[in-house]
Amino acid sequence: MDSAPSRRSLSTAPGARAAPTPFGGAPRPLHILLVGWEFPPNHTGGLGVHCFELCQELTRLGHRVTFLSPFGGPFTPVPGVTFRHPGEKSGGATPEFPPAYWAGGTPDSPFADSVDGFNTWVSGLKTTDPFDVIHVHDWFGTAGATALARRLHIPLIMTVHSTEYDRSLGHPWDHILHREELGIEAATRVIAVSRHLRQQLIDRYHAEPSKVRVVYNAVRPSDRLERIDPEKRIVLYVGRLAVMKGVDTFLRAAARVVPSFSDVQFVIAGEGPEYERLIQLAARLGIGDRVMFLGKVSEEEREILLAGSSVFVLPSVVEPFGIAALEAMAAGVPTIVSKTSGVAEMSRGTVFKVDFWDVEEFASRISELLEYPTLRATMGDQGRWAALREGWPERARETVQVYLEAMRGAGVRP
Amino acid sequence: MDRNLSIFKGIAQRSYRPALERLRRALDDFPDFRFSLSVTGTFVEQARMAAPDVIDRLRDLYRTGRVAFLGETYYHSLAFLLPPPELSEEVAMHREMLAKEFGAHAKALRMTELAYSDHLARFAEAERFRGMLAEGWEGVLHGEPPTYPYCAAPAPTVALLLRHYPLSDDVGFRFSSTGWSEYPLTADKYARWLAATPGEVIGLFMDFETLGEHHQARTGILEFLSALPGEVRRHPHLGWATVEEAMEIPPRAPLSVPYTMSWADQNRDLGAWLGNDLQRSAFEAAKKVGVLARQTGDLAILTDWRRLLTSDHFYYMYVSGHGADQGVHEYFSSYESPYDAYANYMNALTDLRRRALDRLGVPILK
């Protein structure tokens, strides 16, 4: 009926970038203490990526960063960033990265012990560095960071990447909730990774609206592979296999799509607690042969997958941001996301938005993209533009602005 | 369908009724006031279901003898881009509708979205129209003013009346814009602008929904409308004319437009409907289904296909994100994005194709 070139040129016109200001708008280089959790190469979610990119861009702007992690590394080195962890003196006494950080665990698990140990170490951090701000990410280190900020008389900034309500689908662990509330309360400024999340912090956590800012995630344009149009068309999901991700919906939609398309393959890349249940579901739906479970994939494998995919689906029940969808858009893959995802806010109408429970609608959208090549091509191109028009440099500058606000708010002269 | 009707009812309440009422009173109060109206078959069909009194009001206006109807296609369609005989059939359908509903006969022709080209002028000549409307766009005027009567170069018996877009858009777009340096626009100020415009004829054409819908009643647009004929009368060299009356003024020069021009967006071409891959692919697909629809000879299938050629469907598929015109397109679109519009359109078209093939007894492979 209509035809689109099977190989499309992939030059990405970068948007006009503002002339770089020294220190991202700060009057002098700042020394920033980041209290994090995971960090590449060992990371499972958006938090690790966000911290890594922030470290890179902050130091590029001329700032110094010290990154505190409960784990002994390895850490992907970033010039200008010092990594510190509780086992740095004793050597090797730090715990391994947990296989799944989202599974907060019961208050008496070994995982909880390592969180407590980390907080104690942070609160008593031995340092002579003149830090300007402490910036804590999610709940893990809020107790230690709050105590340290008070001891050093410097402002605390907290970035929330997701909340315990969402991770637990409404059944939060109290000890985690408490740490979130503590950080949000104590922080001079709070950063949310989407407007949707910001509203939740205000409604559920009673955060003072005037102190909550939004800084989105971004993706880094890389030497993307040329898009290929394989014989078998691929509908892709990349992400953790957790209940909140709604991968059920992906499978149920797949079951409605496959009878009309003999050449389509559904692919699930990622690992998580739902893995076995999802495999059973695929079998029960009778689409075992049409769904491929790849397990955890490397960054390179993910890029190859994206380059050959016709459709990317992020059906999350809850998704504070959804960086996987942004990566798909940046790779030129037409993307379908649930309406509640943060990434939907910044997609500028270049993705399909569907209610997370609406299997029928997900199936229709997938079918339409498989059926109409012109739709795939145009949405893919426009999606890439929307994903790449702003990047981590812009996000770092926005973050620096929040630091400066916090310093002024705490009575500290920048 | 229900949604169509509820939208129509809303607009009838906010715009059609109050504006037609005021036009009627202006005709009573000012014996020299005259104008032309452009009404599609689609409009009449929907009015019949949602607000039949609007048709009565139009008949009432026509009976004054100072209101004329324009000829056009029965559907607000892109038929002018289709191979014959589609365009002449749709124009004939419209001609029939005018005769039946209003007892009217149109002498002037306008195409959907004010499309015009040399090719369409030849069509108007063949269909025995006195003249056509077109955009008074600098790109085709070569320094001549838009306020003179022209004729079509390839068909000199076809008169051209050009839209004066700055003065038309002062009312159509800018009237309620508080950021505009001329805000607020009053009837006496506007009449002074008209009086100060050199030339012989000023073409003021705008959406009827300008009156009460695009500019809501609280902006004062309806009072502006009521006051304008009185303010115009203060300038003795100004007068009113219907489109066909204006076309009796002897033309000053022939005009050639070798491509299809419209009144939309910054470029005044067909980019708003057929500028991107989505739009072109949808239109090409629709053309192919049209061949099947004709073969069936089934009026229900042909009618649905003609509805799918309504220009708005393609307008909703406009993609820019960067340009100044995106805001205008979003205002008029009922879809969340151009991709939704395209997918929905293609689904409808695929269904229609299936129906046509069924009717023709062709086995469907898929």
Side-chain angles (χ1 to χ4, degrees):
Chain A
M1 205 138 76
D2 49 7
S3 66
S6 61
R7 280 170 185 275
R8 308 182 54 79
S9 107
L10 269 198
S11 68
T12 303
R17 300 231 191 260
T21 37
F23 315 127
R28 59 178 174 81
L30 304 175
H31 195 160
I32 299 140
L33 183 68
L34 281 186
V35 181
W37 184 255
E38 54 174 24
F39 198 87
N42 295 316
H43 67 98
T44 57
L47 189 149
V49 177
H50 190 108
C51 287
F52 172 73
E53 297 289 355
L54 203 55
C55 281
Q56 283 214 336
E57 295 302 331
L58 287 173
T59 51
R60 226 168 256 172
L61 288 171
H63 303 296
R64 278 187 64 197
V65 177
T66 298
F67 186 87
L68 306 187
S69 169
F71 311 108
F75 303 104
T76 304
V78 180
V81 177
T82 310
F83 294 97
R84 297 186 60 181
H85 59 93
E88 59 192 8
K89 286 281 184 305
S90 55
T94 52
E96 298 264 300
F97 272 92
Y101 86 76
W102 67 90
T106 58
D108 51 0
S109 73
F111 177 77
D113 284 348
S114 55
V115 172
D116 287 345
F118 178 55
N119 276 290
T120 310
W121 173 73
V122 171
S123 67
L125 188 74
K126 295 198 174 30
T127 178
T128 52
D129 287 323
F131 295 118
D132 291 292
V133 291
I134 301 183
H135 184 177
V136 63
H137 289 264
D138 276 359
W139 65 278
F140 312 100
T142 52
T146 303
L148 183 63
R150 285 184 188 144
R151 176 158 71 85
L152 299 178
H153 300 290
I154 55 176
L156 176 69
I157 293 100
M158 176 176 178
T159 291
V160 182
H161 298 268
S162 66
T163 67
E164 178 62 8
Y165 275 112
D166 287 347
R167 286 185 301 263
S168 64
L169 287 176
H171 303 288
W173 286 105
D174 278 344
H175 68 290
I176 295 177
L177 199 58
H178 170 71
R179 290 280 164 83
E180 286 179 337
E181 287 166 349
L182 175 78
I184 291 166
E185 168 71 32
T188 312
R189 286 290 182 277
V190 177
I191 295 173
V193 293
S194 64
R195 289 202 303 273
H196 186 77
L197 181 59
R198 176 179 184 272
Q199 197 54 47
Q200 204 190 8
L201 297 182
I202 293 166
D203 295 343
R204 281 233 168 107
Y205 291 79
H206 313 293
E208 169 60 36
S210 65
K211 75 174 191 183
V212 193
R213 301 282 174 270
V214 173
V215 177
Y216 291 115
N217 284 306
V219 282
R220 187 170 289 283
S222 67
D223 298 328
R224 300 277 170 197
L225 302 169
E226 187 173 345
R227 285 194 58 65
I228 44 174
D229 222 346
E231 298 232 326
K232 262 202 168 180
R233 281 175 292 171
I234 292 173
V235 180
L236 181 65
Y237 167 82
V238 178
R240 282 177 282 128
L241 307 184
V243 178
M244 66 188 260
K245 293 288 184 179
V247 190
D248 288 52
T249 307
F250 183 75
L251 288 177
R252 291 181 206 280
R256 286 169 190 254
V257 171
V258 292
S260 327
F261 297 90
S262 56
D263 62 340
V264 66
Q265 181 76 49
F266 285 75
V267 174
I268 294 176
E271 56 182 0
E274 289 286 286
Y275 176 67
E276 285 177 14
R277 206 181 59 78
L278 290 169
I279 287 191
Q280 282 169 6
L281 178 61
R284 209 167 60 237
L285 291 167
I287 51 170
D289 57 332
R290 309 295 294 276
V291 183
M292 208 183 274
F293 286 85
L294 298 184
K296 187 172 167 57
V297 294
S298 70
E299 216 157 298
E300 195 190 342
E301 287 166 335
R302 194 190 61 218
E303 288 205 9
I304 293 169
L305 271 174
L306 285 171
S309 291
S310 299
V311 184
F312 184 88
V313 185
L314 188 75
S316 305
V317 177
V318 168
E319 191 63 81
F321 188 80
I323 212 162
L326 199 62
E327 280 164 347
M329 288 163 66
V333 186
T335 298
I336 307 169
V337 301
S338 49
K339 283 181 183 168
T340 40
S341 63
V343 67
E345 290 170 19
M346 56 165 298
S347 60
R348 304 202 147 217
T350 63
V351 300
F352 282 143
K353 300 170 196 173
V354 179
D355 286 308
F356 69 84
W357 43 264
D358 198 341
V359 173
E360 186 86 37
E361 184 72 2
F362 271 107
S364 308
R365 292 317 202 182
I366 293 168
S367 304
E368 284 158 3
L369 283 166
L370 291 173
E371 182 78 35
Y372 308 127
T374 313
L375 182 64
R376 280 207 300 280
T378 312
M379 240 173 102
D381 288 348
Q382 292 292 312
R384 179 168 34 222
W385 167 76
L388 294 176
R389 54 185 284 279
E390 286 186 336
W392 287 111
E394 281 80 6
R395 301 295 171 249
R397 273 195 284 274
E398 290 162 9
T399 306
V400 169
Q401 288 309 311
V402 179
Y403 293 160
L404 297 176
E405 269 184 37
M407 288 165 78
R408 282 191 293 265
V412 180
R413 210 151 56 147
Chain B
M1 201 42 116
D2 289 345
R3 188 144 172 245
N4 276 346
L5 293 191
S6 75
I7 290 174
F8 196 103
K9 281 179 182 161
I11 300 178
Q13 197 52 33
R14 292 187 296 273
S15 169
Y16 302 146
R17 286 194 192 103
L20 289 171
E21 175 67 33
R22 283 180 185 260
L23 286 169
R24 176 66 234 229
R25 263 188 269 149
L27 286 166
D28 288 344
D29 296 346
F30 304 98
D32 63 331
F33 186 45
R34 329 168 72 78
F35 55 90
S36 293
L37 287 172
S38 178
V39 174
T40 61
T42 310
F43 179 90
V44 171
E45 282 178 22
Q46 294 203 9
R48 216 179 274 141
M49 288 184 282
D53 63 297
V54 168
I55 302 179
D56 295 334
R57 286 169 193 273
L58 288 170
R59 283 193 194 113
D60 186 42
L61 287 183
Y62 183 69
R63 272 197 294 269
T64 64
R66 285 183 279 139
V67 175
F69 286 104
L70 295 175
E72 60 189 299
T73 46
Y74 184 89
Y75 302 95
H76 191 259
S77 74
L78 295 181
F80 59 86
L81 293 173
L82 292 170
E86 184 58 30
L87 181 58
S88 54
E89 282 184 13
E90 287 194 25
V91 167
M93 283 173 75
H94 184 259
R95 194 181 282 138
E96 244 170 74
M97 183 279 288
L98 281 185
K100 193 162 144 271
E101 288 292 332
F102 304 104
H105 174 73
K107 294 186 186 141
L109 178 68
R110 77 123 191 174
M111 281 292 118
T112 305
E113 306 294 349
L114 218 61
Y116 177 79
S117 67
D118 286 350
H119 173 74
L120 286 169
R122 282 190 210 100
F123 171 80
E125 181 185 45
E127 296 280 331
R128 305 279 184 274
F129 281 102
R130 180 72 191 83
M132 275 192 83
L133 297 187
E135 179 77 340
W137 180 237
E138 287 88 346
V140 296
L141 280 167
H142 305 294
E144 296 292 318
T147 48
Y148 283 106
Y150 295 91
C151 65
T157 61
V158 175
L160 286 185
L161 182 57
L162 302 185
R163 188 174 88 108
H164 193 290
Y165 72 85
L167 281 167
S168 298
D169 292 348
D170 284 339
V171 181
F173 288 165
R174 289 178 281 275
F175 182 81
S176 61
S177 142
T178 49
W180 181 31
S181 60
E182 296 292 346
Y183 181 87
L185 181 61
T186 57
D188 78 294
K189 186 184 345 185
Y190 191 64
R192 273 186 274 120
W193 290 353
L194 295 176
T197 305
E200 289 179 57
V201 58
I202 307 173
L204 301 176
F205 319 145
M206 53 202 81
D207 280 357
F208 195 92
E209 288 82 11
T210 297
L211 309 169
E213 178 68 14
H214 305 333
H215 306 306
Q216 305 263 312
R218 63 182 151 73
T219 64
I221 187 73
L222 295 171
E223 287 76 17
F224 174 88
L225 173 67
S226 290
L228 191 59
E231 293 298 334
V232 165
R233 202 159 58 163
R234 290 172 188 271
H235 305 276
H237 69 290
L238 292 181
W240 297 93
T242 64
V243 167
E244 50 198 62
E245 286 165 349
M247 284 175 173
E248 295 306 323
I249 310 172
R252 181 183 166 100
L255 213 60
S256 174
V257 181
Y259 67 99
T260 308
M261 173 171 77
S262 82
W263 68 354
D265 294 353
Q266 311 280 342
N267 292 331
R268 302 300 201 280
D269 55 15
L270 296 180
W273 300 276
L274 296 174
N276 70 39
D277 290 347
L278 294 180
Q279 294 167 319
R280 284 189 290 267
S281 117
F283 187 68
E284 288 309 313
K287 277 210 274 200
K288 286 183 192 160
V289 173
V291 176
L292 295 175
R294 274 192 177 281
Q295 279 172 13
T296 63
D298 182 326
L299 193 61
I301 290 177
L302 196 60
T303 299
D304 283 349
W305 175 71
R306 283 174 167 159
R307 288 192 177 124
L308 282 174
L309 282 171
T310 301
S311 66
D312 303 66
H313 294 307
F314 303 94
Y315 195 79
Y316 301 149
M317 300 173 201
Y318 181 82
V319 177
S320 139
H322 329 257
D325 297 320
Q326 183 76 15
V328 181
H329 285 256
E330 277 168 9
Y331 170 81
F332 285 106
S333 182
S334 51
Y335 290 98
E336 219 172 85
S337 78
Y339 316 103
D340 289 275
Y342 176 85
N344 202 29
Y345 183 86
M346 294 301 279
N347 292 345
L349 195 67
T350 305
D351 280 350
L352 186 64
R353 179 167 168 273
R354 228 163 257 171
R355 266 169 68 199
L357 289 174
D358 251 358
R359 191 76 174 72
L360 292 169
V362 177
I364 299 161
L365 298 173
K366 174 64 198 164

